[in-house]
Amino acid sequence: MDGMSGPYVIRGSVSLPEAELQWRFSRSSGPGGQHVNTSDSQVELRFDLANTESLPEVWKTRALERLASRLVDGTITVRSSEHRSQWRNRETAAVRLAALLAEATAPPPKPRKPTRIPRGINERRLREKKQRSETKRGRTGRDWG
């Protein structure tokens, strides 16, 4: 299709392969004018994640693991029907799929390295706590009037 603003970059130099995207169009529910009953403006975009050759193997494994609950036979489906124009729905669906894959293929976060609290800071904290407790103990009503 000309007029599409692809390629949709997932991350780095990897982008969604136009050849592996399957588009389906159907009538959209929701608001619209006289034209709405005849135009297929809802877009369903399918991407066969299990059999794709365009993603690095590590990414593919990671994505299959993280998106397991959304996959049907290794295929991920994204729907878009918020716009009245089919073209804008196509854009939205493709961008959403790219974002989904970018999130699913992201490397796991680095494990947190526990750090020790410096001794001076800890001692100061305890000193301040003790001082505060003395202040509060001094407020009890025993010595008053």
Side-chain angles (χ1 to χ4, degrees):
M1 285 283 310
D2 52 299
M4 289 294 283
S5 68
Y8 298 96
V9 176
I10 296 174
R11 197 168 54 253
S13 60
V14 181
S15 57
L16 281 176
E18 196 61 50
E20 292 184 27
L21 300 179
Q22 299 167 326
W23 299 92
R24 237 179 75 197
F25 307 100
S26 56
R27 297 212 175 123
S28 204
S29 62
Q34 298 158 327
H35 187 56
V36 78
N37 297 329
T38 56
S39 64
D40 292 343
S41 59
Q42 176 173 295
V43 171
E44 189 178 284
L45 172 58
R46 301 171 80 110
F47 179 65
D48 191 353
L49 187 58
N51 301 319
T52 185
E53 295 295 320
S54 60
L55 292 180
E57 206 51 49
V58 185
W59 287 22
K60 200 160 109 172
T61 312
R62 217 179 273 156
L64 284 168
E65 217 171 89
R66 291 184 183 165
L67 297 172
S69 61
R70 285 197 61 163
L71 296 175
V72 178
D73 299 330
T75 304
I76 185 115
T77 306
V78 176
R79 276 192 197 84
S80 173
S81 61
E82 45 265 28
H83 304 291
R84 282 180 58 184
S85 131
Q86 185 189 99
W87 184 79
R88 283 178 68 194
N89 278 331
R90 280 180 70 120
E91 288 286 293
T92 308
V95 167
R96 208 179 283 161
L97 179 63
L100 195 68
L101 288 174
E103 199 177 308
T105 58
K110 287 192 173 75
R112 184 185 169 279
K113 203 164 90 184
T115 54
R116 284 194 49 198
I117 299 171
R119 196 161 130 215
I121 290 178
N122 206 22
E123 284 175 357
R124 190 182 73 199
R125 182 182 65 87
L126 293 173
R127 215 175 25 252
E128 286 170 359
K129 272 177 68 123
K130 199 165 277 179
Q131 207 172 357
R132 185 93 180 119
S133 115
E134 287 302 316
T135 306
K136 287 192 168 191
R137 267 184 57 193
R139 289 185 187 153
T140 54
R142 290 189 305 229
D143 311 335
W144 295 35

